Amino acid sequence: MFSGVAYAADNAETKPETNPIPEAQQFVSEHKGRFNGQNINYTVTAGETYLRDKNGQETASIFTFAYTKNEKKGQSRPVTFIWNGGPGSASTWLHMGAFGPKRVKVPSDAQFPGTPPYPILDTSESILDVTDLVFIDPVGTGFSRALGEHKSKEFWGLQQDATSMAEFIRTWITANGRWNSPRFLLGESYGTTRAAAVAKILEKDLSISLNGIVFISQALDYQGSTPYVKDNIISHITYLPTMAAAAIYHGKIKPKPKNLESFLAQARTFATDELMPALFKGNTIDTKTHNHIRDRLAYFTGLTPSYIDRAQLRIQGFHFAKELLRDKGLSIGLLDARYTVDEVDDLKATSDYDAGLAIKSAFNSALMSYISSDLGVNWDRTYLAPADDELSDQWSWRTAPENKAWEPTYVNTAHDLSKALRINPALKVMVASGYYDLVTPFFDAEYTLNRHGIKAEQIQYHYYHGGHAMYVNETARVDLLKDTRAFIQQQTSQN
């Protein structure tokens, strides 16, 4: 279905020998494929884009995989900028899991994917029929690096990262003549944190309007996705429906509810109308109410009343992953609660390993094989996936300058999104959530995006039978692509 011959592009003049920064590297290849029933000829440009300071000096190399349809110049075809999260994740997951023209096949039923070789298949459902795709690796991930005298740490921070990504988008649309193309952002996990911050910069500071944003596994206000802080009442509320979904999946709710969505609606109602007021009362709660809440928690989570008593009605999400199947000696995944792992220590309160990471090797192996064999990317630079080993420890979450006082708080870019949506009332957000995601629970997405002055009519929710990377479930993958295609068509048909 796909064919192509790769060649290295000679696209820059030779610089003086005194300049220590090499010319931007690019690998360009021509391909053809059939997407959503359409035959499409397209170009893949896998290469560096240099960011520059106000004096025109290079500061960083951003490596991307850009898929652009071959068509007459001047046409305003949509372009979608795609990144994963972390912080510190290359775009491997979205590239090889769902949106790229090729994908790695892993078991849809959350089984261990086995050992190499991993099947690499055509993605006929890819949204390349309705939009060009630019997969972005931030500095310190993939092939992206700081340049010259600049250090990677300059780009490793909540605001620094968002600024560099917004600047990349401005640079890319300028270099490629795409200022009048409809524009979309698509991010997963921390990539949604980034997308909200980038959207504000684009709309407010750079006068670059967006047509739409796609959040996959939303993570804007971290209070609702922080289950390990003991006094964080909010996480006990936002995590309950996901714990209920996991309990059903693993057969811990008896009798098994006939309809998952109806059961989860009940869990939402109980969490907000009963559990939250009970937790707010603390040790002033009366015995009758305590016992009622305990028994209802046991019903929704599949845990024993005695465990819930010992937990003082506060079931931490990461404790739940270890406790649900403790009687079988198994821990369930955090990124995807459908997965299980048999750990050595069955007595610990939390897992040592996230069973949902079982697919990581398959994705990395498939990407490296694909970009070499199909895209002709043969480079002696190491592709960082996982990221630079210093990135996590050196990442700055500060929202105030270094020379000013700052009190640590939960990360929250929902206010940035709210500003972007107010500046651009035509902008809409598609929110894709997996029912079995114990890292960014779906109820947290609702809790976050229903507040912060965000208008309900600008948000669209979609739910899938998968986890954080819901697209590893085959049915969810197809539905996600269909929903994203419809969203892009909706947001481009207005013009």
Side-chain angles (χ1 to χ4, degrees), residues 187-207:
E188 179 178 1
S189 193
Y190 180 82
T192 69
T193 314
R194 174 188 294 130
V198 170
K200 190 194 78 168
I201 295 172
L202 292 176
E203 296 283 357
K204 181 175 181 291
D205 301 329
L206 301 183
S207 298

Side-chain angles (χ1 to χ4, degrees), residues 153-428:
K153 187 177 180 180
E154 298 173 33
F155 303 90
W156 292 345
L158 179 66
Q159 296 186 325
Q160 299 92 321
D161 171 83
T163 299
S164 68
M165 290 296 97
E167 183 57 34
F168 164 79
I169 290 173
R170 178 166 67 174
T171 302
W172 193 92
I173 63 175
T174 300
N176 290 275
R178 303 300 290 272
W179 270 91
N180 208 30
S181 292
R183 293 177 286 264
F184 294 83
L185 304 181
L186 191 156
E188 179 178 1
S189 193
Y190 180 82
T192 69
T193 314
R194 174 188 294 130
V198 170
K200 190 194 78 168
I201 295 172
L202 292 176
E203 296 283 357
K204 181 175 181 291
D205 301 329
L206 301 183
S207 298
I208 298 175
S209 291
L210 296 168
N211 293 67
I213 306 173
V214 179
F215 289 158
I216 297 177
S217 301
Q218 179 275 162
L220 267 61
D221 182 349
Y222 285 22
Q223 187 170 11
S225 55
T226 304
Y228 40 80
V229 177
K230 291 183 179 179
D231 58 355
N232 180 14
I233 289 180
I234 297 301
S235 69
H236 296 302
I237 309 307
T238 56
Y239 266 74
L240 181 66
T242 299
M243 292 190 282
I248 292 177
Y249 184 86
H250 291 288
K252 288 293 185 176
I253 306 296
K254 298 182 180 176
K256 182 178 180 180
K258 295 181 179 180
N259 183 278
L260 174 64
E261 285 73 19
S262 296
F263 183 75
L264 297 182
Q266 295 174 34
R268 288 182 180 92
T269 300
F270 166 73
T272 53
D273 294 353
E274 298 187 67
L275 179 59
M276 184 163 56
L279 296 182
F280 188 82
K281 292 179 180 178
N283 61 13
T284 67
I285 190 172
D286 62 86
T287 301
K288 181 179 179 181
T289 302
H290 175 281
N291 292 344
H292 169 72
I293 297 297
R294 176 199 63 199
D295 294 342
R296 293 294 283 167
L297 278 172
Y299 170 66
F300 283 114
T301 64
L303 302 180
T304 65
S306 61
Y307 175 85
I308 296 171
D309 266 333
R310 294 196 304 275
Q312 298 178 317
L313 307 181
R314 291 162 173 78
I315 306 170
Q316 294 184 28
F318 291 177
H319 287 175
F320 173 81
K322 186 72 173 181
E323 188 66 27
L324 182 66
L325 300 181
R326 190 183 293 274
D327 58 339
K328 297 181 179 179
L330 299 174
S331 299
I332 66 173
L334 299 175
L335 289 165
D336 192 331
R338 298 177 305 145
Y339 287 83
T340 61
V341 61
D342 183 0
E343 296 189 300
V344 173
D345 191 345
D346 292 335
L347 298 178
K348 293 189 65 174
T350 58
S351 304
D352 287 327
Y353 175 74
D354 184 355
L357 289 172
I359 59 176
K360 183 166 61 173
S361 177
F363 273 72
N364 281 348
S365 298
L367 175 73
M368 298 311 297
S369 175
Y370 164 65
I371 66 174
S372 175
S373 63
D374 286 42
L375 305 187
V377 179
N378 295 298
W379 204 5
D380 58 3
R381 181 179 293 184
T382 300
Y383 191 85
L384 297 176
D388 186 310
D389 57 11
E390 295 182 346
L391 185 150
S392 182
D393 289 340
Q394 295 189 18
W395 191 269
S396 173
W397 296 102
R398 289 180 65 93
T399 54
E402 291 290 341
N403 61 347
K404 290 189 177 181
W406 179 71
E407 182 176 350
T409 184
Y410 289 106
V411 174
N412 187 355
T413 60
H415 298 291
D416 292 337
L417 176 66
S418 182
K419 289 178 182 178
L421 291 171
R422 295 284 176 158
I423 293 170
N424 180 357
L427 176 60
K428 286 186 171 56

